[in-house]
Amino acid sequence: MPDPLQSSLRIAGAGLEAQSVRLRVISENIANSQSTGSTPGSDPYARQTVSFDNELDRAAGLSLVRVKGIGVDDAAFKIEHDPGNPAADEKGFVKMPNVDVLTELADMREANRTYEANLQVAKQSADLMGMTVNLLKDA
Amino acid sequence: MSQPYVLQLATERTQWLSARQTLIASNVANANTPAYRATDLQPFSAVLDSTQVSMVTTDPAHMTPSQDDFTAARVVESDPTDETVSGNSVQLEQEMIKLGDVSRDYSMGTNIKRAIHQMMMSALK
């Protein structure tokens, strides 16, 4: 059986990785919140979603986390009237991405919070190992 | 010479705390995983109760309970109102409190070890 504190570090690392993928997808969504198609009537950027899955490392008996997949939000696109836009159809309507920046910002805060929590766990696991090693110091 | 009981106790305690730290790490890492249930260890007092009386093995066929049984994880019962729509029962705040508990108790464990060691050294010198 591997050292539980080493395992904690591995799990926290998996958590950090998963949350950073989430942050990457959020930033892609925000960056593309105004990205329309290039030809008249074409579809704009579609919002991406991340889902997580619990991954069991059977050899070590650890419950890690991994990104299950990056999906596409199939919510309807917003329609705006902007005849000058290259993506406008013959009536002057443009399909805008189904990204709600406010939702993305809220999601970003949550990802941030979970990232910090994982970081805290990693820091503390290292501290605990340090405490044991320090037993040798004044021996 | 067998090691002093206090030293053994402190060792068991830190082992239990390390195992608990792993579960806290799993809970925090899976804080956003759908249908994940928060887990924790059975309390240390329960571990202690089950290990206090150890039977002497007088025959090779006698079995001793494995160490893994004592640190068996249990699923934490959660208030259904605190559960997210996705069926996740991890409460990040609660995990952070547990993290603090582990840190404090681990520090106590190592300091007890240090104190016992100093006492033994003072007898030697």
Side-chain angles (χ1 to χ4, degrees):
Chain A
M1 195 180 140
D3 175 30
L5 291 179
Q6 294 278 5
S7 308
S8 312
L9 272 180
R10 253 190 75 195
I11 296 168
L16 289 174
E17 206 180 307
Q19 294 301 329
S20 46
V21 170
R22 184 182 183 185
L23 277 171
R24 194 203 80 203
V25 170
I26 294 169
S27 62
E28 281 175 12
N29 284 342
I30 295 178
N32 284 297
S33 63
Q34 300 292 322
S35 302
T36 56
S38 49
T39 52
S42 59
D43 281 349
Y45 172 85
R47 176 176 179 256
Q48 290 182 306
T49 57
V50 187
S51 55
F52 298 124
D53 194 19
N54 180 17
E55 182 187 45
L56 194 67
D57 183 333
R58 285 189 193 283
L62 305 179
S63 181
L64 298 168
V65 66
R66 68 181 176 97
V67 174
K68 194 181 186 180
I70 296 175
V72 176
D73 188 345
D74 53 7
F77 295 118
K78 283 177 272 185
I79 307 287
E80 276 178 23
H81 189 67
D82 181 11
N85 197 303
D89 59 13
E90 60 272 13
K91 286 176 188 147
F93 290 106
V94 184
K95 287 188 202 165
M96 296 302 282
N98 52 356
V99 176
D100 180 14
V101 177
L102 210 59
T103 311
E104 298 303 322
L105 287 177
D107 207 22
M108 188 173 79
R109 289 294 283 267
E110 203 193 340
N112 229 340
R113 202 173 79 111
T114 320
Y115 191 94
E116 270 173 28
N118 276 296
L119 206 57
Q120 199 69 33
V121 172
K123 243 187 228 165
Q124 200 195 287
S125 301
D127 281 352
L128 295 187
M129 281 190 258
M131 280 184 207
T132 309
V133 173
N134 278 341
L135 277 176
L136 294 168
K137 234 166 63 175
D138 54 7
Chain B
M1 192 188 100
S2 67
Q3 58 174 340
Y5 178 65
V6 191
L7 203 55
Q8 190 191 326
L9 195 62
T11 308
E12 273 175 23
R13 177 80 169 158
T14 47
Q15 273 171 354
W16 180 83
L17 287 166
S18 306
R20 193 176 191 209
Q21 177 84 355
T22 312
L23 290 184
I24 297 172
S26 292
N27 288 345
V28 172
N30 285 291
N32 297 121
T33 307
Y36 179 85
R37 315 294 300 178
T39 53
D40 197 357
L41 282 185
Q42 54 167 323
F44 186 66
S45 55
V47 179
L48 213 55
D49 287 344
S50 59
T51 49
Q52 235 163 20
V53 186
S54 59
M55 281 174 284
V56 181
T57 49
T58 51
D59 186 284
H62 287 167
M63 286 182 289
T64 48
S66 76
Q67 202 63 38
D68 292 346
D69 296 341
F70 306 141
T71 51
R74 64 186 168 91
V75 175
V76 178
E77 297 295 325
S78 66
D79 182 359
T81 52
D82 286 335
E83 225 176 275
T84 59
V85 186
S86 65
N88 187 298
S89 71
V90 178
Q91 285 172 274
L92 225 41
E93 295 80 9
Q94 212 59 43
E95 299 303 321
M96 291 297 113
I97 292 171
K98 273 154 63 177
L99 210 57
D101 289 347
V102 168
S103 173
R104 202 177 50 245
D105 293 351
Y106 199 96
S107 162
M108 187 176 78
T110 48
N111 279 324
I112 287 173
K113 283 185 204 169
R114 177 177 288 127
I116 298 290
H117 186 258
Q118 275 167 358
M119 281 157 75
M120 291 167 94
M121 288 309 275
S122 65
L124 276 174
K125 280 179 195 163

